[in-house]
Amino acid sequence: MAARKDFVGDINPTKLAWSLVVGVARLYEFPSQWNKNEVFSLELVLQDEKGDRIHATVCKPGLELFKNRIKEHCVYSMQNFIVKLNNGKVRTTPHKYKLNFYTKTVVAALPIETFAFNPFKFRPFHELDENGPTDGNLLFDYIGEVVGKEEVRGLITRTGDETKLITLQLEDLEKHKIKCTLFGELVDQVLPHLERDDGEPFIMVVQLFKSNIYLNSVNIQSIYYVSTCYFNPNIPEVIDFKKSLATDFVPCSQRISQLEAQPQYSVRDEISAGIVPVRTIEEVLNITEETSCWIVGTIVSLEVGKDDWSYMSCKTCPKKVVQSKDRYWCDNCRRVGFKVMLRYRLQLIVTDGSGCLNLIVWNKEAEQMIGKAAEKVKELSKCDKGDSYPKYLENMIDKRFLFKLNITYKNINSVEGVYSVTKLSDDESLMSSYGVPNSSSDASMLPNIPIAETDEDSNGHAAVSLSKDSAVESNCDSSCQTPAKRTSSDAVDDSPATAALSPDVQASANKTFKRNCGRKKID
């Protein structure tokens, strides 16, 4: 009697004795956070004969047993797994569950001919344009010809390590183009192929890449450890791709145009050129796709107390730390420090007359608003009485700013969401162009702000922030979490990010706001 075989689509937590016949579409090692040279886990993307995929993890106790027995792009019979929720920060498959190997897991190699196994599931470029903003943390495979490149740029990560990135432009057979950013070792791997002169087009296959929105354009980028690239691989899809191009002999270096790096726009240029639109708060609350936009808002309330308007951070990175006597330990940098840095973490409510939003403003932007470093404000508050935030922060109330927001799927799916501010400006002439001149009148008298008529930037650009190690402090994908409570986007784990607080803010202009000096009613 033939052994019973299960399919990936049927897997659920009701039993352990699942029996699968699967191919390994992707296999990679995840390093220990304590020692990068030590393997913490073995990660696999498994695919059955129906084409369904599920993620699997071999934790440290099973590494010695399975590490040398499982190979990428091979087919295996596998039995007995612990089934867990697939709720990691990055998801290699859309499956609701993931598998964990344990002591009773059995693995046996099978002939590659067992079933027609193709380790790639290519996503059309037009689907990226249509669905990219709603992908969340899902990763996909893509194939395209490299038709453009930017110069290699160096980066310093938040842990102080040096790395590099390069942005390429890929084109499919329908002439759709997308920007693709590679980080770290993938940059060194691709560079020799960009200068080839064999007359062949340079077809690149990228596996498990993340969609990203930058300046309202959707592009893709690699994720540390998870993503990989194949350059002109000898697979049917690439062979067919080249045949469809039917081009004459042209050296690869001449087929690839040099792209200019995305300029760093000033606030005025970004708004005036329509690169990022200005919206009303009501329009922001009705947005259904991830995007970036500006709003003009008046601060009507500070939603912080005596101890949560700032936090102690590592001096090397912006992560929260706990100080012990004259030193601290940073979990992110994995090092001991001897003097903490005080950083702002301000949660505030702004209105424009069409509605109100709960915003989180981090250190760089908060210092720009207040004009003083957090440490200085703390010194000035030593004589303050009561259990509220420093009185000096009251100077922000009733002030108006242009806030740039990065709207994520978390904001879209949440009723009481907190929006992260990535940039701000107090340029009165700009605010007057999109709102009304500043006045001392009640914020509820502000009329609706007209929408800036703009066309979306047709030249998408890959984000320069690292998925693993970012030097950018504006943590756009974090909602109301302090940096210590965020997880790296490449971490394939079981722990979702933990919210620092649950704001109780109604998205309406008739909210009664609480503040240090009493209550203010917005009629």
Side-chain angles (χ1 to χ4, degrees), residues 415-433:
V415 176
E416 303 287 0
V418 179
Y419 293 75
S420 190
V421 175
T422 63
K423 194 184 292 187
L424 61 83
S425 171
D426 60 356
D427 189 321
E428 186 59 43
S429 63
L430 266 180
M431 289 188 284
S432 298
S433 300

Side-chain angles (χ1 to χ4, degrees), residues 469-488:
D469 293 321
S470 176
V472 181
E473 187 180 356
S474 297
N475 299 279
C476 314
D477 191 33
S478 312
S479 294
C480 58
Q481 300 163 345
T482 59
K485 296 176 183 174
R486 299 189 203 115
T487 57
S488 299

Side-chain angles (χ1 to χ4, degrees), residues 214-232:
Y214 185 73
L215 297 180
N216 290 329
S217 293
V218 184
N219 48 74
I220 59 175
Q221 64 182 52
S222 65
I223 300 294
Y224 272 87
Y225 311 116
V226 185
S227 305
T228 189
C229 297
Y230 299 88
F231 312 117
N232 280 327

Side-chain angles (χ1 to χ4, degrees), residues 27-44:
L27 183 150
Y28 59 95
E29 296 176 349
F30 201 78
S32 167
Q33 58 182 346
W34 301 95
N35 182 359
K36 291 182 179 180
N37 297 319
E38 181 182 341
V39 178
F40 176 75
S41 65
L42 195 65
E43 307 293 334
L44 304 93

Side-chain angles (χ1 to χ4, degrees), residues 124-127 129 170-178:
F125 287 8
H126 69 83
E127 280 191 19
D129 292 332
L170 304 183
E171 183 178 80
D172 65 12
L173 294 174
E174 285 72 43
K175 302 303 180 182
H176 294 121
K177 294 181 180 179
I178 58 171

